[in-house]
């Protein structure tokens, strides 16, 4: 039976989450993407808490092009994570291809000082 794009992405995400989990020492940097926006969260899965978050919906990033906004979201979430005492994370691409805006966000987070 054929799958829709959404079903296929959710299936990939479940498979990835079997191997990727955030801990207190090394939380998970989770990416969520829509056609218009991109969001990132740093999550401690042991406690079930979000330590830092950022998204392209924020006022300063709304007017940027999608690729530029993704890189800025990466830098912003890295800055907020460092403020929460996080230096290292594991990257959870959420079933999306590591390409385009997802890659731009990852590169921005690395520029911001996160290690993964």
């Amino acid at each position: 039976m054929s799958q829709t794009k959404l079903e296929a992405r959710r299936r990939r995400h479940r498979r990835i989450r079997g191997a990727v989990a955030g801990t207190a020492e090394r939380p998970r940097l989770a990416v969520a993407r829509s056609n218009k926006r991109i969001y990132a969260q740093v999550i401690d899965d042991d406690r079930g808490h979000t330590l830092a978050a950022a998204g392209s919906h924020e006022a300063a990033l709304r007017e940027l092009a999608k690729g530029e906004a993704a890189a800025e979201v990466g830098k912003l979430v890295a800055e907020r994570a460092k403020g929460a005492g996080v230096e290292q994370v594991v990257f959870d691409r959420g079933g999306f291809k590591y390409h385009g805006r997802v890659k731009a966000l990852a590169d921005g987070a690395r520029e911001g000082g996160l290690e993964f």
Side-chain angles (χ1 to χ4, degrees), residues 42-59:
V42 177
I43 304 166
D44 176 359
D45 288 319
D46 290 342
R47 291 177 39 214
H49 286 273
T50 298
L51 306 173
S56 60
H57 68 286
E58 297 180 23

Side-chain angles (χ1 to χ4, degrees), residues 35-38 55-76 101:
N35 286 339
K36 191 173 183 181
R37 305 277 183 222
I38 191 160
S56 60
H57 68 286
E58 297 180 23
L61 306 176
R62 272 193 206 134
E63 301 305 318
L64 297 176
K66 290 192 281 190
E68 295 170 7
E72 291 301 316
V73 168
K75 291 176 189 173
L76 191 57
R101 290 189 285 154

